[in-house]
Amino acid sequence: DAGITQSPRHKVTETGTPVTLRCHQTENHRYMYWYRQDPGHGLRLIHYSYGVKDTDKGEVSDGYSVSRSKTEDFLLTLESATSSQTSVYFCAISGLGTENSPLHFGNGTRLTVT
Amino acid sequence: GENVEQHPSTLSVQEGDSAVIKCTYSDSASNYFPWYKQELGKGPQLIIDIRSNVGEKKDQRIAVTLNKTAKHFSLHITETQPEDSAVYFCAASQNTNAGKSTFGDGTTLTVKP
């Protein structure tokens, strides 16, 4: 798992509540990413980070925010969860970023919004 | 933006046979093409990748080919084994940030013993 821990692994929440997912890495990698995986849609990039306090939007960022106050932690927040955000969320890291460096994924957080 | 199409969505083969999964991409600026394998309950794991200056790459039973002109690349698995059963994803990205990948929708490979 390349030293990536996602928490929680499973969460059920109600529509309209805030939710924060955590990604913790022990690899000291600069680049971190949040993807969501939905049946028939592969993986889609939500947000990513180039370093501490340096983040940017991905393909499907609406309704999500992120924060990175330390190199090892990347938080994904759903300010007001909706049923369309029911998904499996994967955190990923890469070592170099400016070169062709593959992604290393965590084992995911399964989020259900009721 | 980039668009990656992956075919087939499901593939069933007999143990020992070969399996081929194909992807096409739209952005000619893409130059890095990894393949990931995802087992149930886990995150995707890189199994092989290819860069645009290479036409083919092999790693034991796995090979990837790239046709830049046609904008397609393929994963070939030979002598398939039951443990090859998983979901496979192709992806495309540019050199500037390989983590900003566009993924195909995945292929569920089943290898029957």
Side-chain angles (χ1 to χ4, degrees), chain B residues 56-110:
Chain B
E56 183 177 4
K57 183 177 179 180
K58 289 184 180 180
D59 183 3
Q60 299 183 343
R61 297 186 296 110
I62 295 173
V64 57
T65 59
L66 171 65
N67 184 325
K68 286 179 58 181
T69 302
K71 295 195 188 71
H72 66 71
F73 55 112
S74 300
L75 177 70
H76 304 253
I77 305 174
T78 59
E79 301 174 17
T80 53
Q81 301 167 3
E83 51 265 39
D84 294 330
S85 296
V87 181
Y88 292 81
F89 291 97
C90 63
S93 64
Q94 296 182 27
N95 190 38
T96 51
N97 192 336
K100 286 182 65 180
S101 297
T102 300
F103 284 79
D105 289 345
T107 296
T108 301
L109 173 64
T110 302

Side-chain angles (χ1 to χ4, degrees), chain B residues 26-66:
Chain B
S26 61
D27 189 348
S28 58
S30 291
N31 55 13
Y32 177 62
F33 307 94
W35 285 88
Y36 295 88
K37 175 184 180 182
Q38 185 178 27
E39 298 177 339
L40 199 61
K42 296 189 175 182
Q45 284 193 306
L46 178 79
I47 55 172
I48 194 166
D49 56 10
I50 192 167
R51 291 158 175 76
S52 59
N53 59 347
V54 175
E56 183 177 4
K57 183 177 179 180
K58 289 184 180 180
D59 183 3
Q60 299 183 343
R61 297 186 296 110
I62 295 173
V64 57
T65 59
L66 171 65

Side-chain angles (χ1 to χ4, degrees), chain A residues 35-46 59-60 84 86-88 90, chain B residues 2-6 9 38 44 87-91 101-108:
Chain A
Y35 281 85
R36 61 177 288 174
Q37 183 175 34
D38 304 290
H41 287 281
L43 294 107
R44 292 180 290 175
L45 182 64
I46 305 171
E59 175 189 357
V60 290
S84 64
T86 292
S87 186
V88 181
F90 286 99
Chain B
E2 175 66 275
N3 182 50
V4 176
E5 294 190 357
Q6 183 172 345
S9 56
Q38 185 178 27
V87 181
Y88 292 81
F89 291 97
C90 63
S101 297
T102 300
F103 284 79
D105 289 345
T107 296
T108 301

